[in-house]
Amino acid sequence: MKNHSFGRLPFTVSNVGFGAWQIGGSWGDVSEADGRAALNAALDSGITFIDTADVYGDGRSEKIIADVLKTRGDARPMVATKAGRRLNPHVADGYTKANLEGFIDRSLVNLGVDVLDLVQLHCPPTDVLYRPEVFEGLDEIQAAGKIGGYGVSVEKVEEALKAIEYPGVVSIQIIYNLFRQRPDHLFFQEARRKNIAVIARVPLASGLLSGKITADTTFASDDHRNFNRNGDAFDVGETFAGVPFEVGLQAVEEVRKLVPQGATMAAFALRWILMSDAVTVVIPGARNAEQARANAAAADLAPLSNDVMAASREIYKNLIAPHVHQKW
């Protein structure tokens, strides 16, 4: 696993992080004990970056993280959280300084800290990115010492490009994986130029790229892969990376042919993401300790060959791009 700087912030992070959505909720039954075990296993494996949000289990994820880090007592990893999705309705007018500061204050309590390492606007409505006063408010909250830095978690490449026009934005979280390759064009180029930290989320396309899901796989009623398959609860791009389920399964079989002998498809998919030097950290989730250790180990796979990378781009171009490329 490689460690490197997190953009312009004074943190050094592992290139594989821990995505804490699964230990919060919306992934079926993940017990608190399993969540704690997964996080401990990730940290034991050398992971030094954790990504969470105030709405993951209504604060459950943040509280588990706080408790685990308190009991460990060793060097503290960087912890990034998110704010904005507590708004109801979730509209641009709700992104006021007062509301954001209230969310930040709540996360400070949940995480048991005096300063949040990084707070990210949580996939805000696009119009928020055209309101300078939102970012001026974040600057003021940062100056008050409540946050070390701020970034934006986005759905679309266009949103990412707009967000990094604001000088205070230090990071962008965006979906990037074998089935969502568009960020590795203009956005990654601009991120490199401006030293923007890039957090790659949904790296396994909600499990499709684990290679373990089949047409017969069923999902619990409280699993977003059931209730959000058509985008009924939030952006459909967050579930299976927006790829129609049957198309995704077809593409997975093509990807399977590229996986090196002895490697899992999940490890291959994570290593594929790390082939881009624009990616600061990839944040796979884990339901248990075994998955967390496997995610961390993916960083140790050998670099993928030019032929494999070219073949992966062809799979995307022929099967996936018609369904996702211009949407996000």
Side-chain angles (χ1 to χ4, degrees):
M1 197 179 306
K2 293 182 179 179
N3 295 280
H4 45 223
S5 61
F6 188 88
R8 305 194 302 272
L9 290 185
F11 292 98
T12 298
V13 300
S14 51
N15 58 354
V16 176
F18 182 87
W21 184 13
Q22 288 182 339
I23 69 172
S26 300
W27 286 86
D29 183 22
V30 179
S31 71
E32 183 171 332
D34 282 345
R36 291 171 60 89
L39 181 52
N40 272 303
L43 296 169
D44 289 342
S45 299
I47 282 174
T48 59
F49 181 86
I50 303 170
D51 177 84
T52 185
D54 58 0
V55 293
Y56 292 168
D58 193 25
R60 178 187 192 229
S61 176
E62 290 180 326
K63 292 174 182 177
I64 290 174
I65 292 165
D67 190 44
V68 167
L69 295 185
K70 182 179 179 181
T71 49
R72 291 180 66 91
D74 48 14
R76 184 180 177 87
M78 181 179 180
V79 179
T81 191
K82 307 183 197 75
R85 282 283 169 173
R86 297 188 65 78
L87 291 169
N88 187 14
H90 182 236
V91 295
D93 286 344
Y95 278 77
T96 64
K97 179 190 173 185
N99 283 339
L100 290 173
E101 191 161 20
F103 300 148
I104 287 167
D105 287 343
R106 185 175 183 272
S107 289
L108 287 168
V109 173
N110 285 346
L111 286 166
V113 295
D114 296 324
V115 183
L116 297 178
D117 296 336
L118 178 75
V119 67
Q120 304 157 90
L121 299 184
H122 198 171
C123 296
T126 303
D127 190 45
V128 168
L129 302 172
Y130 291 84
R131 300 187 180 194
E133 63 271 19
V134 174
F135 299 89
E136 291 165 2
L138 288 168
D139 288 334
E140 292 170 5
I141 295 170
Q142 183 174 3
K146 292 186 176 183
I147 58 176
Y150 65 84
V152 186
S153 181
V154 300
E155 299 290 1
K156 299 179 179 181
V157 166
E158 289 82 2
E159 293 170 341
L161 290 167
K162 179 60 184 176
I164 63 175
E165 290 182 7
Y166 294 97
V169 171
V170 297
S171 67
I172 293 293
Q173 184 173 144
I174 194 167
I175 296 176
Y176 177 62
N177 60 44
L178 276 156
F179 290 172
R180 288 282 286 275
Q181 298 188 22
R182 189 180 177 199
D184 194 8
H185 293 86
L186 178 59
F187 169 61
F188 279 5
Q189 175 183 318
E190 287 299 293
R192 290 186 191 96
R193 186 174 70 84
K194 295 188 175 185
N195 195 19
I196 299 292
V198 174
I199 305 166
R201 76 172 184 276
V202 195
L204 301 181
S206 306
L208 270 180
L209 286 166
S210 72
K212 297 179 180 179
I213 293 175
T214 71
D216 297 324
T217 300
T218 59
F219 303 98
S221 60
D222 60 346
D223 189 320
H224 73 101
R225 293 171 294 182
N226 181 330
F227 67 77
N228 194 58
R229 195 173 293 192
N230 297 313
D232 295 328
F234 42 81
D235 192 281
V236 71
E238 300 287 346
T239 301
F240 300 131
V243 180
F245 187 61
E246 295 75 15
V247 174
L249 291 176
Q250 180 185 358
V252 161
E253 294 311 309
E254 295 303 311
V255 171
R256 199 183 302 277
K257 301 172 185 177
L258 304 179
V259 179
Q261 186 174 1
T264 66
M265 182 179 291
F268 171 78
L270 294 174
R271 190 65 184 86
W272 183 92
I273 292 168
L274 295 177
M275 291 297 292
S276 173
D277 63 2
V279 173
T280 306
V281 59
V282 58
I283 51 168
R287 299 171 60 92
N288 52 51
E290 181 183 3
Q291 288 183 0
R293 284 189 286 267
N295 289 340
D300 297 327
L301 284 184
L304 306 181
S305 70
N306 291 336
D307 287 346
V308 167
M309 294 301 291
S312 73
R313 288 190 287 270
E314 284 300 304
I315 293 170
Y316 174 77
K317 176 183 175 182
N318 296 329
L319 293 176
I320 302 297
H323 300 279
V324 305
H325 193 78
Q326 296 303 333
K327 291 184 179 179
W328 293 283

